[in-house]
């Protein structure tokens, strides 16, 4: 906390026993005083929570004052006699933030505006088009706001509507792409929260106006393998790596912190949202890894190192890394026993990467409570490792394309980028080996990595 | 002699001046019952606005065949044909809106955020499709969507056409078509087109999307889950009047707008029997009684005792006859 700290203290019963002048004034304006229960409901609730958990709590605080809202950061330190309150970063904001026009006024009256309303789960309950606005999509009723409006992050990578949802405050400047009767258009959302008589959040009411400053949408990729993106530029991989990896890592770490409720309990749905954000972040980070790999292996002259490796050891390492993920789905992995070895030649970390990809796919696409086998073999001068699952299998047509770039066999889930098997096979080739698939629909799939054997 | 001359001149003036005639009639009614409940300016404006939007929406339903602006200009000046048939609907909608506005947090539907966000705000978790709570959630969402159709883009109250009784909608559309026909010179081809437009509009009428269907579905979902009393009590506590009106209407098999007016005009003693099918604990009624008590100019029966009201009405009629 920075700036001057406003301090106070409550006893075990939650009575405010001492307070610096600003906190005391706020307490008095709320109709109480020293020796009385904390009359600022948000602060009282945080104090009670800290006392119940017997641990320090740091949270944003919002309190109503006569002519505005007080926004601050509060730290509550419980002890045996009660709790100490430290309030910092104390700012008073007017109740109506002038930079956000109330939607019932000019913005809503603008003939180009859509006026929308959502429930507390951001499902659309109203959508009207102004006289000169584009027609609204026909199937908007009950759809999620984020489904109807493709949210775009602001310059800082934030989504104003999601921040507003978490804080139940107004928002403006949320850039979106909205599907209308005549295609996608760039719009800007603003909204105000709605509350019922008990103070419960009931949703947002807001406007969507055409985005006058919209940047043109990124052109569709001409070639699924990146089209015009400068993959041939060796700096490209480094650029995306540097530009994305750091922010993504921070997003994932922060989302994991929120999801894990390390700073204290939060509402279950918020924890779940944070879990979703972390999941999406990990997916994006995986894509960054894949793109960097792709850029690397497609570079002319790419060569893998020729390490002396043991496919048995690498298979057991891969199982060790992904065993927990398999357990979550009740999947048993039958790995080669510790005394089984299969000497081969290849780059240690690249072979591990291939095996992690094969095993990861097998876990992802296997049914719950099924089994995955990893088998070692020697065929002439080739050492092989096979990963077999009990998934739905891959048809002959799919086998022909499964190693193509961005091939996801029609899957639309957030599971992967469609680059993993392409990269794995390129790596196998770079190590003078091969990666093949053998499968039939309903029979599971068997991916076999073969490398030069070593005696 | 002098009185006769004056009376005659008033009559003559009034006979050639409809505005004066109306003013004199209204003055006479007022003087005959100065204490009687009358529409406030706000109530008049709201009811008129609801009527204007209803007629505009109905005209728009006929496609481009009718100029809805010209229609309202005409009817707004000359009077709405058979105004009685929509008067109760418009009044009920206007009064419901006024009630909701006046009892909303911070005094308005478009209220500012309360000073403190409510972390305990109920946010249902994702529910399995066959979960009874999911059925309630879906039904409540549908109710809110049906309710929001009863507002225009600016949040002004209106009557959703899907909420209208089909016979009333037909009558309204036929009146509008007749107005258009007179305006365009009773052309036979035009008449056929308008007739077709009315039939098409009626074919598109979908009462199953209306507030009454949504109310019944919400009531049924709560009843199936045994959650009626708690949900009704919670609706009262939250001032979620649409949910309460919907549940009460479905419980009594009334229309939503009828139940809205029944609640708004009810005496405190009438609320308990009215909501008996919903509530276990009458203590839950307190916020409802409070919200109704603070609604100004409410047409509750106690606003005018029955016998006194009847006497005033007789006197007003007698005096009105003498001046018009």
């Amino acid at each position: 906390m920075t700036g001057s700290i406003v301090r106070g203290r409550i006893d075990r019963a939650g009575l405010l026993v001492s307070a610096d002048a600003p906190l005391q004034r706020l307490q008095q304006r709320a109709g109480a005083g020293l020796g009385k229960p904390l009359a600022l409901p948000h602060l009282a609730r945080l104090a009670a929570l800290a006392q119940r958990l017997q641990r320090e709590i740091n949270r944003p605080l919002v309190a109503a004052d006569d002519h505005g809202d007080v926004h601050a950061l509060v730290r509550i330190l419980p002890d045996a006699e009660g709790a100490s309150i430290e309030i910092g970063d104390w700012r008073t904001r007017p109740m109506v933030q002038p930079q956000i026009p109330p939607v019932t006024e000019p913005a809503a009256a603008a003939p180009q505006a859509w006026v929308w309303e959502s429930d507390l789960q951001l499902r659309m309950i109203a959508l009207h088009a102004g006289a000169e606005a584009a027609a609204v999509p026909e199937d908007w009723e009950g759809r999620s706001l984020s489904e109807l409006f493709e949210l775009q992050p602001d310059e800082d990578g934030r989504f104003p509507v999601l921040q507003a949802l978490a804080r139940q405050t107004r928002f403006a400047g949320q850039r979106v792409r909205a599907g209308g009767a005549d295609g996608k258009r760039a719009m800007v959302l603003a909204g105000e929260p709605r509350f019922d008589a008990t103070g419960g959040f009931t949703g947002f009411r807001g406007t969507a106006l055409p985005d006058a400053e919209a940047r043109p949408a990124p052109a569709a990729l001409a070639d699924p393998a990146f089209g015009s993106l400068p993959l041939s530029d060796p700096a490209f991989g480094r650029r995306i790596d540097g530009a994305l990896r750091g922010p993504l890592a921070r997003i994932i770490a922060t989302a994991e912190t929120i999801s894990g409720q390390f700073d204290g309990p939060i509402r279950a749905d918020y924890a779940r949202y944070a879990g979703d954000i972390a999941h999406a972040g990990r997916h994006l980070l995986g894509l960054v890894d894949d793109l960097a790999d792709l850029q690397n292996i497609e570079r002319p002259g790419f060569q893998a190192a020729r390490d002396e490796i043991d496919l048995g050891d690498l298979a057991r390492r891969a199982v060790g890394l992904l065993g927990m993920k398999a357990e979550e789905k009740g999947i048993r992995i039958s790995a080669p026993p510790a005394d089984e070895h299969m000497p081969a030649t290849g780059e240690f970390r690249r072979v591990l990467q291939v095996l992690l990809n094969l095993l990861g796919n097998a876990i992802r696409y296997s049914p719950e409570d099924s089994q995955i086998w990893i088998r070692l073999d020697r065929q002439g001068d080739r050492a092989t490792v096979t990963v077999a699952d009990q998934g739905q299998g891959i048809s002959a047509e799919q086998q022909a394309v499964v190693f193509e770039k961005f091939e996801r066999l029609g899957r639309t889930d957030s599971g992967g980028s469609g680059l993993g098997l392409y990269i794995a096979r390129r790596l196998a080739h770079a190590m003078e080996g091969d990666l093949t698939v053998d499968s039939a629909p309903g029979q599971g799939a068997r991916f076999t990595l073969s490398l030069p054997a070593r005696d | 002699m002098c009185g006769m001359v004056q009376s005659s001149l008033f009559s003559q003036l009034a006979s050639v001046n409809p505005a004066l005639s109306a003013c004199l009639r209204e003055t006479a009614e007022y003087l005959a019952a100065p204490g009687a409940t009358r529409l406030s300016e706000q109530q008049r404006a709201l009811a008129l606005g609801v009527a204007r939007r209803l007629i505009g929406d109905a005209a728009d339903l006929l496609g481009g065949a009718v100029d809805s602006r010209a229609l309202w200009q005409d009817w707004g000046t000359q009077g709405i044909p058979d105004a009685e048939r929509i008067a109760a609907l418009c009044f009920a909608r206007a009064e419901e809106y006024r009630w909701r506005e006046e009892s909303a947090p911070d005094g308005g539907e478009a209220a500012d955020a309360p000073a403190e966000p409510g972390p305990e705000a109920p946010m249902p978790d994702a529910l399995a499709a066959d979960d009874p709570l999911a059925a309630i959630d879906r039904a409540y969402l549908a109710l809110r969507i049906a309710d929001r159709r009863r507002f225009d883009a600016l949040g002004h109250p209106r009557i959703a056409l899907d909420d209208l009784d089909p016979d009333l909608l037909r009558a309204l559309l036929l009146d509008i078509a007749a107005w258009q026909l007179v305006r365009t010179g009773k052309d036979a081809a035009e008449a056929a087109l308008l007739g077709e437009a009315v039939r098409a509009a009626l074919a598109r009428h979908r009462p199953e999307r209306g507030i009454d269907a949504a109310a019944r579905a919400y009531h049924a979902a709560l009843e199936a889950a045994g959650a009626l009393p708690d949900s009704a009590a919670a609706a009262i506590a939250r001032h979620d009047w649409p949910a309460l009106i919907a549940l009460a209407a479905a419980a009594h098999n009334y229309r939503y707008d009828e139940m809205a007016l029944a609640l708004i005009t009810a005496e405190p003693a009438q609320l308990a029997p009215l909501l008996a099918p919903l509530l276990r604990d009458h203590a839950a009624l307190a916020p409802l009684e409070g919200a109704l008590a603070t609604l100004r100019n409410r047409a509750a029966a106690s606003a005018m005792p029955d016998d006194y009201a009847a006497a005033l009405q007789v006197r007003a009629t007698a005096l009105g006859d003498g001046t018009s």
Side-chain angles (χ1 to χ4, degrees):
Chain A
M1 262 183 247
T2 57
S4 61
I5 302 287
V6 176
R7 293 174 204 281
R9 177 141 187 93
I10 55 168
D11 65 11
R12 273 187 293 190
L15 306 181
L16 186 67
V17 291
S18 68
D20 290 348
L23 178 57
Q24 201 172 328
R25 275 200 299 274
L26 209 54
Q27 167 88 343
Q28 282 164 350
R29 283 201 287 272
L34 286 181
K36 302 280 186 190
L38 265 176
L40 310 166
H42 193 185
L43 184 58
R45 207 160 41 240
L46 292 175
L49 181 64
Q51 285 179 292
R52 196 170 73 238
L53 299 173
Q54 276 301 302
R55 56 173 292 185
E56 178 185 322
I57 279 185
N58 293 279
R59 293 284 169 86
L61 170 74
V62 183
D65 203 345
D66 283 351
H67 304 293
D69 291 344
V70 172
H71 291 250
L73 295 173
V74 62
R75 170 184 294 164
I76 299 169
L77 303 135
D79 53 43
E81 301 303 317
S84 297
I85 299 168
E86 297 176 3
I87 305 174
D89 196 20
W90 181 298
R91 286 161 290 146
T92 303
R93 292 182 192 158
M95 278 184 229
V96 177
Q97 297 174 27
Q99 72 274 21
I100 306 176
V103 295
T104 49
E105 289 179 9
Q112 305 87 0
W114 287 356
V115 178
W116 56 271
E117 200 167 333
S118 79
D119 72 355
L120 76 173
Q121 295 181 62
L122 290 188
R123 293 177 299 191
M124 303 300 288
I125 59 172
L127 184 61
H128 300 276
E132 295 169 21
V136 300
E138 283 185 0
D139 56 344
W140 61 264
E141 287 181 3
R143 279 175 70 190
S144 143
L145 178 136
S146 58
E147 190 188 336
L148 200 65
F149 298 107
E150 194 180 299
L151 304 180
Q152 312 284 321
D154 63 14
E155 288 75 9
D156 300 322
R158 299 193 179 100
F159 296 92
V161 63
L162 299 182
Q163 286 184 308
L165 177 65
R167 297 174 185 164
Q168 296 171 5
T169 54
R170 297 172 167 208
F171 71 92
Q174 172 62 65
R175 289 203 147 84
V176 297
R177 294 191 63 73
D182 52 351
K184 293 247 173 190
R185 63 181 49 79
M187 303 185 96
V188 181
L189 298 188
E192 296 170 80
R194 321 274 289 173
F195 299 91
D196 64 25
T198 61
F201 174 61
T202 59
F204 283 107
R205 176 173 156 79
T207 53
L209 283 163
D211 186 358
E213 298 168 18
R215 295 175 292 273
L221 299 179
D223 171 351
F226 287 113
S228 61
L229 283 179
L231 264 187
S232 54
D233 177 0
F236 175 70
R238 287 196 298 279
R239 281 212 307 273
I240 58 168
D241 200 59
L244 296 179
R245 193 180 297 277
L248 278 173
R250 281 202 301 280
I251 290 169
I252 295 167
T254 307
E256 294 282 20
T257 304
I258 298 169
S259 168
Q261 307 188 33
F262 302 139
D263 285 337
I266 57 172
R267 280 159 46 177
D269 47 334
Y270 285 178
R272 206 169 51 245
Y273 296 153
D276 290 346
I277 293 167
H279 176 76
R282 281 194 297 273
H283 171 69
L284 284 175
L285 200 54
L287 184 61
V288 170
D289 287 337
D290 285 352
L291 290 173
D293 266 340
L294 191 66
Q295 194 273 333
N296 200 17
I297 62 176
E298 294 204 325
R299 188 175 36 130
F302 168 74
Q303 278 191 326
R306 293 175 60 83
D307 301 327
E308 292 187 352
I309 56 171
D310 173 11
L311 288 179
D313 171 52
L314 280 164
R316 287 186 287 274
R317 284 173 189 262
V319 172
L321 288 168
L322 293 178
M324 188 73 84
K325 207 177 192 52
E327 271 180 32
E328 286 172 7
K329 287 183 71 177
I331 295 171
R332 284 160 289 120
I333 302 179
S334 166
D339 58 353
E340 188 176 358
H341 303 284
M342 186 56 61
T345 303
E347 184 172 331
F348 181 91
R349 68 184 185 95
R350 293 299 193 182
V351 175
L352 183 59
Q353 180 182 347
V354 173
L355 289 175
L356 287 174
N357 177 267
L358 299 180
L359 190 55
N361 282 348
I363 294 169
R364 186 178 298 145
Y365 300 118
S366 284
E368 292 191 355
D369 303 319
S370 60
Q371 186 157 6
I372 293 170
W373 296 268
I374 302 181
R375 294 285 176 261
L376 306 174
D377 203 357
R378 170 90 184 241
Q379 294 169 353
D381 62 348
R382 316 307 290 175
T384 64
V385 54
T386 297
V387 178
D389 63 45
Q390 295 179 309
Q392 61 184 20
I394 304 171
S395 67
E397 297 79 40
Q398 290 175 327
Q399 289 174 39
V401 297
V402 73
F403 296 109
E404 299 287 325
K405 264 188 271 194
F406 297 105
E407 181 52 57
R408 301 202 57 225
L409 303 182
R411 293 183 178 107
T412 54
D413 59 272
S414 62
S417 63
L419 285 170
L421 284 175
Y422 171 80
I423 291 170
R425 180 178 254 188
R426 288 292 296 254
L427 288 173
H429 289 170
M431 293 183 286
E432 297 174 14
D434 200 2
L435 179 62
T436 56
V437 63
D438 177 21
S439 174
Q443 301 293 309
R446 285 178 296 282
F447 284 88
T448 300
L449 170 69
S450 63
L451 290 171
R454 187 168 54 81
D455 292 322
Chain B
M1 184 72 181
C2 184
M4 283 178 67
V5 171
Q6 278 183 345
S7 172
S8 169
L9 182 56
F10 280 146
S11 297
Q12 286 174 31
L13 285 172
S15 67
V16 295
N17 183 341
L20 175 62
S21 170
C23 287
L24 291 179
R25 195 165 52 244
E26 198 168 328
T27 306
E29 284 172 7
Y30 175 66
L31 293 178
T37 299
R38 290 193 171 78
L39 292 179
S40 67
E41 283 307 312
Q42 185 201 20
Q43 286 170 308
R44 285 173 197 270
L46 279 170
L48 189 67
V50 170
R52 179 169 58 80
R53 283 181 278 278
L54 172 63
I55 288 163
D57 290 346
D60 290 344
L61 212 55
L62 298 177
V66 177
D67 180 348
S68 55
R69 279 173 186 269
L71 170 68
W72 180 252
Q73 226 165 11
D74 203 0
W75 284 9
T77 317
Q78 303 298 323
I80 299 167
D82 274 338
E84 295 79 14
R85 71 186 169 200
I86 62 165
L89 286 181
C90 294
F91 180 68
R93 181 70 189 95
E95 284 297 272
E96 182 208 344
Y97 176 82
R98 211 165 59 88
W99 178 29
R100 290 166 64 170
E101 277 288 292
E102 292 200 11
S103 62
D106 295 343
E109 282 260 345
D112 257 352
E116 185 222 355
E120 304 90 349
M123 174 99 68
D125 287 342
L127 299 162
D130 57 349
D131 191 315
L133 292 181
I136 293 171
D137 179 51
R138 282 195 303 273
Y140 184 62
L141 178 65
L143 179 71
R144 289 196 70 188
I145 291 172
D147 177 51
R148 295 325 289 184
R149 283 197 206 103
R150 302 163 68 247
F151 294 85
D152 73 1
L154 296 175
H156 299 143
R158 71 176 179 194
I159 296 170
L161 293 178
D162 285 331
D163 292 347
L164 276 187
D165 176 76
D167 291 337
L168 179 55
L169 178 62
R170 180 183 292 107
L172 190 56
L173 289 173
L174 288 174
D175 276 350
I176 293 171
W179 173 86
Q180 175 69 13
L181 204 57
V182 169
R183 189 166 177 253
T184 52
K186 299 186 178 175
D187 175 55
E190 173 86 358
L193 280 177
L194 280 167
E196 193 48 49
V198 169
R199 274 189 291 279
L202 289 171
R204 287 197 303 275
H205 185 224
R206 290 170 59 194
E208 70 275 13
R209 277 165 45 99
I211 191 90
D212 288 307
R216 285 192 296 273
Y218 183 46
H219 181 273
L222 287 175
E223 195 169 41
L228 257 181
D230 289 346
S231 298
I236 292 174
R238 293 198 315 265
H239 288 197
D240 185 354
W241 306 133
L244 179 70
I245 296 167
L247 293 178
H252 287 284
N253 207 18
Y254 285 161
R255 286 174 53 88
Y256 177 97
D257 44 22
E258 291 169 344
M259 180 50 74
L261 205 53
L263 286 171
I264 292 167
T265 58
E267 294 300 330
Q270 294 171 318
L271 289 174
L274 208 50
L275 298 176
L278 301 177
L279 293 173
R280 270 195 227 107
D281 179 8
H282 287 168
L285 286 172
L288 174 62
E289 289 172 3
L292 288 173
T294 54
L295 184 63
R296 284 160 293 174
N297 216 38
R298 189 166 68 98
S302 61
M304 195 189 290
D306 286 345
D307 47 353
Y308 183 53
L312 290 180
Q313 186 62 44
V314 171
R315 285 164 54 191
T317 308
L319 194 55
D321 286 340
T323 55
S324 56

